Amino acid sequence: NASIATTNSAFADNTYDVYADGGTLTQPVVWTVQSNYSLWLGRALNVASNASLTVSAGTVVKFPQYTYIDVYGQLIAAGTASDRVYFTDNRDDTVGGDANHNTTNSVPAPYWWYGISTMNTGSIRMAQAEVRYGGYNSRYGVRKQAAGSLALTNCVITRTSGDGLVVDAGGGTTSLSGVQIISNEYSGLYLSAGQINPVNCVFGGNAMHGLYQELNASANVTNNAFWGNGTAPMGVGGGTLTNQLILRKAGADPFVIRS
């Protein structure tokens, strides 16, 4: 429940340069760490319903194995085009320096940390942020579930061991604008119910579908881009249709109806 802001500071010969304990946040907290270092999240973190976590522009948050952020309250990642926010594997030295201080003796990979998820009526709002190498057990990088709300603007979700983004049933709102969901090990986006309207998003290089929707869900993919997805640009689950399904043409790419 403490906030931190470091600028123009130097860290040397520490096990962890900037360390945030996990547990449950119960009040507003702000993390601001200069981009040549990173904030090491010590264990799984819950943001309580009456609390908020704001991650400031340029801050890199690194996750040890098996950790996650569950948001019952509010998570805000306030990046900019020149100072993005990153949520990544603690072995990822490409941003935020060498947090585990072992030079090149370890490399990042999917299936390392769980991911970031809304819980109950929690909300996630990210701009100019990147989520990398999630999916341990959870099989998602970012998840909107229950009656939670999700707004992503000019973000990247990549290298997930599972679906990059999961949007589950339960109400709430989902807004996707300028999001790149790329190079994930299942589908880029998995939509279980409801309707989404992504705008100027990119679904590319995912091992299965760029976007997979269950039969009674709908995605308006006009003015979005699909490339290099292994199974098909878009997949639709089979079964029994019980409401209106709208399939909107996405360039020359086909829908694939799955059994």
Side-chain angles (χ1 to χ4, degrees), residues 3-56:
S3 297
I4 186 169
T6 72
T7 56
N8 300 317
S9 299
F11 299 86
D13 300 322
N14 308 292
T15 301
Y16 310 104
D17 292 326
V18 182
Y19 180 96
D21 194 15
T24 300
L25 292 185
T26 59
Q27 63 187 42
V29 165
V30 180
W31 292 342
T32 307
V33 176
Q34 61 205 73
S35 60
N36 54 321
Y37 295 100
S38 54
L39 183 145
W40 182 295
L41 181 61
R43 56 194 174 105
L45 179 69
N46 295 302
V47 181
S49 59
N50 60 338
S52 64
L53 172 62
T54 300
V55 184
S56 301

Side-chain angles (χ1 to χ4, degrees), residues 168-184:
D168 282 336
T173 59
T174 301
S175 172
L176 306 175
S177 177
V179 179
Q180 298 183 57
I181 308 178
I182 57 176
S183 301
N184 298 289

Side-chain angles (χ1 to χ4, degrees), residues 10-11 17 20 25 45 61 86 95 108 136-137 139 146-147 158 163 167 180 192 211 214 223 225 237 240 242:
F11 299 86
D17 292 326
L25 292 185
L45 179 69
V61 180
Y86 292 88
V95 291
Y136 175 80
N137 198 44
R139 299 298 186 184
T158 187
D163 302 305
V167 178
Q180 298 183 57
S192 69
L211 188 156
E214 292 296 351
N223 298 321
T240 300
T242 59

Side-chain angles (χ1 to χ4, degrees), residues 1-247:
N1 286 306
S3 297
I4 186 169
T6 72
T7 56
N8 300 317
S9 299
F11 299 86
D13 300 322
N14 308 292
T15 301
Y16 310 104
D17 292 326
V18 182
Y19 180 96
D21 194 15
T24 300
L25 292 185
T26 59
Q27 63 187 42
V29 165
V30 180
W31 292 342
T32 307
V33 176
Q34 61 205 73
S35 60
N36 54 321
Y37 295 100
S38 54
L39 183 145
W40 182 295
L41 181 61
R43 56 194 174 105
L45 179 69
N46 295 302
V47 181
S49 59
N50 60 338
S52 64
L53 172 62
T54 300
V55 184
S56 301
T59 300
V60 179
V61 180
K62 293 193 176 179
F63 293 79
Q65 196 171 21
Y66 314 132
T67 51
Y68 57 82
I69 298 178
D70 281 350
V71 184
Y72 296 84
Q74 187 176 49
L75 170 64
I76 301 169
T80 67
S82 58
D83 287 298
R84 297 174 69 82
V85 170
Y86 292 88
F87 300 93
T88 189
D89 185 333
N90 65 329
R91 302 169 297 177
D92 183 1
D93 297 342
T94 64
V95 291
D98 182 13
N100 58 3
H101 304 302
N102 69 349
T103 60
T104 59
N105 291 331
S106 61
V107 294
Y111 203 70
W112 186 247
W113 60 290
Y114 281 78
I116 302 172
S117 179
T118 65
M119 309 294 288
N120 298 341
T121 58
S123 69
I124 295 173
R125 188 168 76 247
M126 297 186 186
Q128 298 288 354
E130 187 162 330
V131 180
R132 302 175 174 176
Y133 302 111
Y136 175 80
N137 198 44
S138 62
R139 299 298 186 184
Y140 61 80
V142 177
R143 184 181 185 188
K144 200 284 303 180
Q145 62 176 337
S149 297
L150 175 69
L152 303 179
T153 304
N154 298 328
C155 293
V156 176
I157 303 174
T158 187
R159 302 300 306 278
T160 306
S161 178
D163 302 305
L165 172 62
V166 173
V167 178
D168 282 336
T173 59
T174 301
S175 172
L176 306 175
S177 177
V179 179
Q180 298 183 57
I181 308 178
I182 57 176
S183 301
N184 298 289
E185 293 187 349
Y186 285 10
S187 295
L189 189 156
Y190 171 72
L191 174 65
S192 69
Q195 181 170 340
I196 60 170
N197 300 284
V199 178
N200 296 326
C201 294
V202 176
F203 304 88
N206 300 291
M208 297 178 69
H209 308 87
L211 188 156
Y212 183 90
Q213 63 186 66
E214 292 296 351
L215 182 60
N216 288 292
S218 293
N220 180 357
V221 296
T222 305
N223 298 321
N224 294 273
F226 294 81
W227 55 264
N229 299 290
T231 302
M234 296 190 65
V236 180
T240 300
L241 184 65
T242 59
N243 61 20
Q244 184 183 42
L245 172 65
I246 301 172
L247 302 179

